[in-house]
Amino acid sequence: MRGHFKRIDLVVDTLVAEPGQRLEGHLHVGTMEDGTPIRLPVALINGNYPGPTLYIQSVSDGDELNGLAVTHEILRTVRPDSLSGRIIVVPIVNFHAFHARQAFSPIDKKKMNRCFPGNLNGTSSERIAHLLFEYAVSQADYCIDLHQGSIHPMIDEVRVRVGHKHPQHKACIELARVFGIGYIFNEKGPQGQLAQAAPDNGIPTIDPELGGCMGWDGKSIAKGVRGVQNVLRYYGFAEGDPVLPERQVLVDRLMPLLSNEGGFVYYKVGLYDDVAAHQPVAEVRDAFGNLREVIRATESGIFWSHPVYPRVVTGGVIGTIGIPVDYI
């Protein structure tokens, strides 16, 4: 937490929420070809009591909606009269990709979560990232960037995207632990991720990946809601104790499993399953159902993800294994 907290207005551009007030509005981030404003929805909850500031965003990738459902539940249940501190929520970050129902912006072909902290004179995605960072992210004490694995089935996990030597690494790991999903992927991410840019500015940040599905995934959404509630309780925003697993798995590598044969994939293990080195993970069968290949785990670990369609070409990925390095 940053220094001494006071009861002050929560300001995001032209939106102003006084202590004890909740406000919904929009942040202007540009215009369409016909002059129609491009606006991002923003909700401000300014607590009745002083405390830290939490920034939450979702739909950085336009086809990932589980995080959006999490923000809806948090906005429905958190009230300023019992809140210590302030919460900024941006339910839809990637305006253009959201309307196109895809991960990348159709305007500049960029992935928003490769554009932070943004560029005022850059492309559309870079400008949106800049405005969000300038007006909202920069005043936070903690950040949560809600994601999912698009439509690709994967476990529920939290990602820490700064390196082990980063000054905010320990604080990010603690934030991930407190979120409490039970699985943490601890690997430095690509440049431009919010979970890397915000820690570079002294703000612990995590990137929860709430499963992967088409539509809503109720179980993953519930874990995301509980995770945000855990953060609110642990860091003093709300009363109560976080609900955490007795043990959480920490991995630092996702090992892809490749097929030598093309065909149709029959899995012998499921997501979250422990697998041993050389254990059969899947069979590949041809169009007649004949066995072409048995794919085995290259190392011991946890079956972490697999493609949405059970088919593969030669050299294609049939899944990934998270390689555990620690338990916390």
Side-chain angles (χ1 to χ4, degrees), residues 2-299:
R2 295 180 174 178
H4 178 69
F5 300 115
K6 299 179 180 179
R7 293 180 79 248
I8 59 175
D9 291 348
L10 177 56
V11 181
V12 174
D13 194 23
T14 60
L15 303 176
V16 182
E18 298 177 355
Q21 182 182 10
R22 169 194 161 121
L23 179 71
E24 296 175 0
H26 292 84
L27 174 64
H28 179 82
V29 294
T31 53
M32 297 293 287
E33 294 95 330
D34 63 352
T36 301
I38 301 172
R39 307 184 308 163
L40 303 184
V42 178
L44 307 179
I45 308 176
N46 196 351
N48 223 17
Y49 308 98
T53 301
L54 175 65
Y55 173 81
I56 307 172
Q57 70 173 34
S58 62
V59 195
S60 175
D61 295 310
D63 57 351
E64 298 182 356
L65 300 183
N66 281 340
L68 177 65
V70 172
T71 67
H72 288 172
E73 184 64 12
I74 295 303
L75 291 173
R76 187 184 71 84
T77 56
V78 174
R79 293 292 177 262
D81 57 358
S82 59
L83 181 69
S84 297
R86 314 178 313 166
I87 304 175
I88 303 169
V89 181
V90 183
I92 300 173
V93 167
N94 198 333
F95 177 92
H96 300 293
F98 169 75
H99 287 283
R101 301 183 182 184
Q102 62 189 38
F104 291 76
S105 169
I107 304 301
D108 56 16
K109 313 304 180 186
K110 288 184 178 291
K111 192 176 175 72
M112 180 70 75
N113 203 29
R114 301 296 184 270
C115 294
F116 287 98
N119 181 352
L120 180 60
N121 299 308
T123 69
S124 173
S125 298
E126 292 169 341
R127 293 179 187 223
I128 292 173
H130 168 81
L131 292 170
L132 280 172
F133 206 91
E134 180 74 14
Y135 287 120
V137 175
S138 62
Q139 58 182 306
D141 294 285
Y142 309 97
C143 288
I144 301 175
D145 184 11
L146 297 167
H147 285 266
Q148 71 180 64
S150 185
I151 64 171
H152 304 290
M154 63 181 293
I155 72 171
D156 300 296
E157 43 136 327
V158 181
R159 298 192 170 189
V160 171
R161 304 309 261 156
V162 294
H164 292 256
K165 296 182 180 180
H166 194 283
Q168 290 296 322
H169 180 261
K170 184 177 180 180
C172 291
I173 287 288
E174 181 67 357
L175 184 57
R177 184 191 72 83
V178 169
F179 199 84
I181 280 184
Y183 297 85
I184 299 172
F185 179 41
N186 177 31
E187 183 185 60
K188 184 177 180 179
Q191 186 175 2
Q193 291 190 314
L194 180 62
Q196 195 173 106
D200 285 347
N201 283 263
I203 307 168
T205 302
I206 54 173
D207 176 353
E209 296 278 353
L210 303 175
C213 67
M214 298 181 70
W216 305 121
D217 182 337
K219 290 183 178 180
S220 295
I221 292 166
K223 290 181 183 180
V225 171
R226 187 183 64 199
V228 174
Q229 291 171 339
N230 282 342
V231 169
L232 293 177
R233 292 166 182 164
Y234 184 83
Y235 291 101
F237 293 88
E239 294 184 351
D241 297 320
V243 180
L244 303 178
E246 292 184 4
R247 187 181 76 163
Q248 302 196 53
V249 178
L250 189 71
V251 309
D252 66 357
R253 282 186 296 141
L254 297 182
M255 178 69 67
L257 298 175
L258 304 180
S259 175
N260 295 314
E261 299 285 346
F264 300 89
V265 184
Y266 287 81
Y267 291 97
K268 300 301 180 183
V269 299
L271 298 178
Y272 298 97
D273 283 353
D274 292 323
V275 296
H278 311 301
Q279 176 183 339
V281 171
E283 294 178 350
V284 178
R285 297 181 176 272
D286 65 19
F288 302 100
N290 300 311
L291 179 64
R292 298 299 303 275
E293 181 184 7
V294 176
I295 299 177
R296 300 177 182 274
T298 53
E299 296 185 51

